[in-house]
Amino acid sequence: MPAEIKFCHCCRQGQLQIISDFSKQARCIDFRHSLTESPESIIKFDFAIAQCDTCGLIQLLQPIDYQSMLTEFDWINNKEPVQHHTWMAKDILQILGNDENVLFLSKYDQKIFDLVSQKIGKRAFILDSTKDLLIDSDNPQQAQIQNKITPEIFSVLCSRYGHFDLIVSCRLLEHAHNSYGFMNALRFLLKPQGRIIIEVPESTKALLQGDISMLWEEHISYFTTESLKSSFLHLGLQFERSWLYPYPQEDAIAALFSDIKQEVRSIFPAVSGEQNLALNYLHKISVLKQKIQFELMHFQKQYGDIVIFG
């Protein structure tokens, strides 16, 4: 891993402290074309998780380039949970004023946009990935979309579409390589009294369980409710309320934020709870590693060579 000091890509205030370094790893989308293809042909990347000592956000220490996340296999498809989008649409309609308009950022908001636009018509608008975000793909993935949520592109969109009372983004921020730039881009399209709803996976349950499968090279950030509130406060965004949508394993959280009009950012929440979550996670994955190694050694002695798929 690089020795230089790395700063949080979200709050930009804190330094990153390594939680666990998994060394070189292949991407989850790496498959060999045939048995004769050398495993050495697969390029491996540095994979480590770290935590911001200021806002408490757990994140990848060194994300790989977004273009490296695009697969050549068309049968690989990232499916995001959308069962809660019906409830999200209802919650958005409840907080939206009678004459307020709302912007949705991507195809990952499509179901909510469809439901909301049925009620408020043209006051709901969704960006076109080709025309607005300049993405040359019929089916862009989060890695591509997040790369286009920039102040430069959104300043142009502002002159095209004006400003919105509410901006909604689902399943994008956790993929953003530069959350700081991502959120500042949204401000270009936000009215002075406007608000933002961000929906992301809620990682508390997985951190408490020591769920190693939570980690994925495409997820740059692993938000909890508290780290989402804390990191956004450093961005000058005040938390108003949140909605938790439970799933059997990974819950979803949607949080509502507005711009802080006065300088109250000098008072920040303590991150000791988030640091304890990280320590708990490190302990549990270490215990899991030892247990798996023990079981594999046992199977090897009993059955011989082992092949692991998955």
Side-chain angles (χ1 to χ4, degrees):
M1 285 295 166
E4 72 267 18
I5 295 174
K6 288 187 174 291
F7 290 89
C8 178
H9 70 81
C10 190
C11 77
R12 290 283 179 90
Q13 303 296 313
Q15 296 181 17
L16 296 182
Q17 311 297 323
I18 295 178
I19 299 172
S20 185
D21 186 346
F22 299 97
S23 190
K24 297 285 186 180
Q25 296 291 328
R27 301 171 304 172
C28 292
I29 57 175
D30 280 322
F31 291 86
R32 293 160 64 188
H33 289 87
S34 68
L35 292 176
T36 59
E37 184 179 354
S38 171
E40 284 71 31
S41 63
I42 293 177
I43 299 174
K44 295 184 178 181
F45 298 88
D46 290 318
F47 193 81
I49 53 172
Q51 184 173 41
C52 175
D53 63 7
T54 298
C55 71
L57 176 61
I58 294 173
Q59 56 202 272
L60 297 191
L61 181 67
Q62 186 176 334
I64 65 176
D65 182 80
Y66 83 95
Q67 291 179 314
S68 297
M69 296 183 187
L70 306 180
T71 178
E72 60 183 295
F73 301 109
D74 56 11
W75 48 268
I76 296 179
N77 188 23
N78 176 21
K79 296 181 180 179
E80 296 287 4
V82 296
Q83 295 94 319
H84 65 289
H85 282 192
T86 300
W87 293 105
M88 267 196 74
K90 293 178 180 179
D91 292 330
I92 288 170
L93 289 168
Q94 285 184 349
I95 67 166
L96 202 62
N98 292 331
D99 59 348
E100 290 186 334
N101 57 3
V102 53
L103 172 69
F104 297 89
L105 293 189
S106 76
K107 68 175 188 178
Y108 296 98
D109 310 317
Q110 187 67 52
K111 182 178 178 180
I112 307 173
F113 166 75
D114 292 340
L115 293 169
V116 170
S117 61
Q118 287 175 13
K119 298 292 184 181
I120 67 172
K122 293 184 179 180
R123 287 193 289 122
F125 185 79
I126 188 167
L127 293 180
D128 182 280
S129 61
T130 302
K131 182 180 71 171
D132 297 320
L133 299 182
L134 310 177
I135 299 174
D136 185 18
S137 172
D138 295 332
N139 186 31
Q141 301 304 302
Q142 285 110 320
Q144 295 168 286
I145 297 171
Q146 65 83 28
N147 188 58
K148 297 295 186 178
I149 311 294
T150 65
E152 292 77 19
I153 291 178
F154 272 57
S155 62
V156 175
L157 294 179
C158 175
S159 62
R160 185 180 302 171
Y161 299 122
H163 298 89
F164 293 84
D165 298 286
L166 180 66
I167 297 177
V168 177
S169 172
C170 295
R171 299 291 155 152
L172 278 182
L173 187 64
E174 70 272 22
H175 294 259
H177 288 218
N178 179 3
S179 297
Y180 183 87
F182 184 104
M183 295 308 302
N184 281 329
L186 301 191
R187 282 188 163 111
F188 278 91
L189 294 178
L190 199 64
K191 290 182 180 180
Q193 304 300 322
R195 296 180 290 178
I196 298 172
I197 289 180
I198 295 292
E199 185 264 3
V200 292
E202 219 288 355
S203 299
T204 300
K205 189 185 295 182
L207 290 168
L208 288 172
Q209 293 172 340
D211 182 3
I212 194 67
S213 66
M214 175 188 79
L215 303 177
W216 183 33
E217 67 269 10
E218 281 203 32
H219 278 191
I220 313 302
S221 299
Y222 299 87
F223 290 101
T224 67
T225 303
E226 292 307 312
S227 65
L228 184 64
K229 290 160 61 175
S230 176
S231 58
F232 274 41
L233 188 58
H234 286 274
L235 295 176
L237 291 166
Q238 179 68 52
F239 172 81
E240 291 191 13
R241 62 164 299 178
S242 63
W243 301 266
L244 186 69
Y245 305 102
Y247 280 87
Q249 180 54 32
E250 184 181 72
D251 297 334
I253 182 173
L256 178 66
F257 296 91
S258 59
D259 263 318
I260 298 175
K261 301 306 175 186
Q262 297 178 346
E263 285 298 326
V264 297
R265 279 176 272 175
S266 59
I267 305 174
F268 294 115
V271 296
S272 56
E274 297 305 297
Q275 291 169 338
N276 287 336
L277 264 180
L279 289 173
N280 171 80
Y281 188 68
L282 175 60
H283 171 71
K284 289 204 169 184
I285 61 177
S286 297
V287 171
L288 176 63
K289 179 180 178 180
Q290 293 172 6
K291 183 177 179 180
I292 290 175
Q293 288 176 334
F294 176 82
E295 294 292 343
L296 290 178
M297 289 174 62
H298 172 73
F299 285 133
Q300 187 179 41
K301 290 179 180 178
Q302 189 171 4
Y303 300 108
D305 292 340
I306 298 171
V307 174
I308 300 177
F309 178 80

